[in-house]
Amino acid sequence: MCSRILPLAATIAVWVSCGGSRAVAAEETPGSGIIGFGEFLGMEATAAGEGTTGVTLDPKGIYFNGPYYKADLEWDGGQVSFGNLHVCAAGHTAVDLPIMDTRAWSSSERKAGIYFMESLTGVGLNLIKCKDPENIVQGDGTISLEWDDLYGYRSFKMRLEEGSATIEGYDPKTGDPVDNWFLSLITAREKTYELPFTVIVPQRVNSEENGREYHLDIGTGKVSINTEDTPPVLNIYPDNGTVRLVFNGN
């Protein structure tokens, strides 16, 4: 595993809620107070076999399990994040290579994740508080959903499919795309030196884990590392309101 040289400031603990690893199954979280997506939609969880795609819906989020990547999209107190995002090794869907690993990169004070953020004048980085998702549509190897932020500044559409994840931000009044948001990869401060990232350029994040090289492509948008002693580790910014993450199994 490669070393990291980008520390994170402890101030992030103020606005990232504490938490454990990924959400557990619906029957294990009675009275969680968070919408039970599977029960709400009348859907049953589907398991992904080799080379297939499965979607699991439970009280805390949506778990996408495809041949090229696996993603946990979680809602926690209005905070939306990718709790886990793993690339599948070429030809081996059972081999997960992390872009985000909540279990490994969190601490008791800070829950790791790829969060939806905004930058406010005079405030700095701020987590975008969001409402529960709606219009969740599960297709053949895909799932799409929409949600609004808590204050009506922007709305989001997301589509997860076998080779990519596409997120669109738009003005809920006009429908026009907006760039007043971005994705931030946040980890516990002490974990920054353990992260697998080797080279980060605007359209790609190269990584190495246990001797395996892999990457995440930014099909739309651009990624930027943070060189200051402040959170987060890296940001992914939209282009004309859209971020598209591309996975090809390498």
Side-chain angles (χ1 to χ4, degrees):
M1 184 174 293
C2 302
S3 62
R4 283 286 298 174
I5 58 173
L6 302 177
L8 296 181
T11 54
I12 199 169
V14 174
W15 46 264
V16 175
S17 65
C18 299
S21 57
R22 59 172 292 170
V24 295
E27 61 270 19
E28 296 175 311
T29 56
S32 65
I34 303 174
I35 185 171
F37 302 130
E39 181 179 357
F40 178 76
L41 292 170
M43 293 180 178
E44 295 182 358
T46 57
E50 191 76 14
T52 64
T53 300
V55 177
T56 303
L57 304 105
D58 86 353
K60 291 196 70 176
I62 295 171
Y63 308 125
F64 185 88
N65 186 358
Y68 299 113
Y69 72 102
K70 300 176 182 179
D72 296 357
L73 185 64
E74 300 179 350
W75 270 256
D76 187 0
Q79 298 175 3
V80 182
S81 68
F82 285 101
N84 290 287
L85 183 61
H86 288 230
V87 174
C88 298
H92 302 279
T93 58
V95 179
D96 294 347
L97 302 170
I99 300 297
M100 167 49 60
D101 192 319
T102 297
R103 184 185 300 276
W105 300 346
S106 293
S107 67
S108 58
E109 292 80 26
R110 185 176 303 151
K111 182 180 179 182
I114 301 175
Y115 288 87
F116 284 72
M117 304 283 289
E118 62 185 347
S119 181
L120 300 178
T121 302
V123 176
L125 297 182
N126 187 57
L127 281 168
I128 297 175
K129 291 283 190 176
C130 295
K131 298 178 181 179
D132 286 333
E134 55 187 20
N135 298 330
I136 306 174
V137 178
Q138 183 174 350
D140 184 13
T142 68
I143 188 165
S144 61
L145 60 152
E146 302 177 20
W147 70 92
D148 301 321
D149 75 12
L150 193 59
Y151 305 106
Y153 296 135
R154 62 189 75 77
S155 298
F156 295 99
K157 296 179 182 179
M158 179 182 288
R159 179 178 174 84
L160 304 177
E161 50 195 331
E162 289 189 352
S164 64
T166 303
I167 308 159
E168 300 176 47
Y170 62 96
D171 186 313
K173 296 180 180 178
T174 65
D176 295 332
V178 295
D179 289 336
N180 58 356
W181 63 278
F182 52 94
L183 301 176
S184 287
L185 189 147
I186 297 165
T187 71
R189 183 186 180 94
E190 62 269 25
K191 301 295 184 178
T192 58
Y193 298 97
E194 302 176 10
L195 302 182
F197 312 133
T198 56
V199 178
I200 299 174
V201 294
Q203 307 306 135
R204 174 174 286 193
V205 178
N206 288 330
S207 306
E208 182 180 343
E209 176 86 358
N210 296 326
R212 289 182 180 269
E213 295 183 352
Y214 59 103
H215 61 265
L216 167 68
D217 284 327
I218 313 300
T220 305
K222 65 179 180 179
V223 63
S224 175
I225 62 173
N226 180 25
T227 58
E228 303 296 330
D229 188 22
T230 56
V233 174
L234 59 83
N235 296 321
I236 303 175
Y237 295 95
D239 180 9
N240 196 31
T242 299
V243 166
R244 184 169 180 262
L245 309 178
V246 180
F247 311 86
N248 65 2
N250 293 325

